[in-house]
Amino acid sequence: MSSERLLVRATPAFFEDLDRQLGHERGPNGEPSTNDFQSFELLEMVKRSAIGFFDLPELVPGRREYRVPVATGMLMRGVSVVGQLAPDGAVELISLEIDLGPRNR
C-alpha cells in the first residue's frame, strides 16, 4: 500500500449522478438525501481514493488510471465510484452508483 496521499476532486458528472439518484430532501420512507450522502458517505470514498487509489480494483483490467472503490455505506446498501487519475496526478471522481436496496444486518 502506498503512503502517498493523492488530491481528490469530484467532477460535475459525479454530482449529476448524485442528483439523479437522490433527492435534495429525504424521501417519504427515510431514503437519504444528497446532503446525507455528502455528509456520511462521500468523505469515506474520498479518503479511500486519496490514500489507496492504486490498491483499489481496476475498472478495466490493465488500465491503471481507472479505479473503483466499492463499499457498504452508512446509509446505503452499497456505493461505487469511478475514479480517474488525471494528468496532474489528482484523482477525479467521475461517476457514482448508489444501491438503496435493503441492507442485510
Side-chain angles (χ1 to χ4, degrees):
M1 184 171 190
S2 171
S3 62
E4 179 183 6
R5 185 177 185 98
L6 302 174
L7 175 68
V8 178
R9 57 184 172 245
T11 64
F14 175 88
F15 288 108
E16 289 168 7
D17 284 349
L18 176 59
D19 289 341
R20 177 179 50 80
Q21 295 174 73
L22 299 177
H24 293 288
E25 302 289 329
R26 287 192 178 154
N29 297 313
E31 298 88 356
S33 67
T34 56
N35 188 55
D36 292 330
F37 178 85
Q38 291 179 55
S39 298
F40 296 103
E41 312 291 355
L42 182 57
L43 184 58
E44 181 61 26
M45 300 311 267
V46 167
K47 179 180 161 186
R48 291 182 72 195
S49 295
I51 295 172
F53 182 75
F54 293 106
D55 297 324
L56 296 169
E58 293 178 348
L59 176 64
V60 177
R63 299 286 308 267
R64 295 188 70 238
E65 69 274 21
Y66 292 96
R67 302 295 175 134
V68 185
V70 178
T72 300
M74 291 178 64
L75 304 173
M76 290 130 198
R77 182 176 182 184
V79 178
S80 69
V81 174
V82 174
Q84 174 184 2
L85 191 62
D88 66 359
V91 174
E92 294 182 331
L93 305 180
I94 60 174
S95 70
L96 168 69
E97 288 298 324
I98 297 171
D99 182 349
L100 290 174
R103 292 185 63 184
N104 295 330
R105 294 189 187 246

